[in-house]
Amino acid sequence: EAEVAQSPRYKITEKSQAVAFWCDPISGHATLYWYRQILGQGPELLVQFQDESVVDDSQLPKDRFSAERLKGVDSTLKIQPAELGDSAMYLCASSTTGGTSTDTQYFGPGTRLTVL
Amino acid sequence: GDSVTQMEGPVTLSEEAFLTINCTYTATGYPSLFWYVQYPGEGLQLLLKATKADDKGSNKGFEATYRKETTSFHLEKGSVQVSDSAVYFCALPSGAGSYQLTFGKGTKLSVIP
């Protein structure tokens, strides 16, 4: 069964350092999402891609976060500089088209970030 | 805007007990509704979904019926097992054109032998 891959699974960094997370969606899925999940809460969208284009990044803190999906396949999310409040689980998800409300989003295992 | 409200946890049940986790929603129109499950240290897995009113989603003994009259999508299971211990999230797609998922806060279920 195809899965969404993410790496690393765990990342510990010091504040003011740069971190990067990688996601490889299910093959053929045009839509890719990055969510942030703070401990004890539900995930919240950071950015959504349709192929290589950003569809929604209204919740992405653009002064320190950036995301790209250059060839419309895998994606990288970067934080520079990291702050204590960025400690969370970062989840990547993908769906076939993203263009309808019936599409199922499939999630990867996540990257647990701890900022010291 | 669109929102999801779940019953607050944590919920602790004995093995073989009946489970209900309440979920109500506020949305424009009649969106699809989803239940996801998150096991400790892992990402989210789709548990079940319903795409229109009166649909019943089911998987692994879990069921939920899309009730537009009460704007609800309660999760039920007749006999829980220790392996069902996890956090359960109700969600709906929102945002015209983007259909990002809006999640409830999650309900943590612990099943004891």
Side-chain angles (χ1 to χ4, degrees), chain B residues 1-8 20-27 31-35 64-75 89-92 102-107:
Chain B
D2 296 350
S3 65
V4 174
T5 302
Q6 283 182 240
M7 65 182 285
E8 295 193 12
T20 299
I21 300 178
N22 291 338
C23 170
T24 58
Y25 67 89
T26 301
S32 298
L33 298 171
F34 299 82
W35 277 102
T65 301
Y66 190 154
R67 304 279 190 203
K68 70 175 182 180
E69 312 83 20
T70 54
T71 62
S72 65
F73 192 54
H74 305 323
L75 183 68
F89 292 94
C90 185
L92 60 82
T102 295
F103 289 87
K105 292 185 176 181
T107 302

Side-chain angles (χ1 to χ4, degrees), chain B residues 87-110:
Chain B
V87 181
Y88 293 81
F89 292 94
C90 185
L92 60 82
S94 60
S98 72
Y99 298 111
Q100 62 179 277
L101 287 175
T102 295
F103 289 87
K105 292 185 176 181
T107 302
K108 183 176 181 180
L109 170 66
S110 297

Side-chain angles (χ1 to χ4, degrees), chain B residues 36-63:
Chain B
Y36 281 84
V37 58
Q38 186 174 35
Y39 298 100
E42 298 185 9
L44 277 69
Q45 300 176 22
L46 176 69
L47 183 59
L48 54 84
K49 74 176 189 181
T51 60
K52 60 183 186 296
D54 299 325
D55 260 4
K56 177 184 285 188
S58 61
N59 185 29
K60 300 181 181 180
F62 290 88
E63 293 183 341

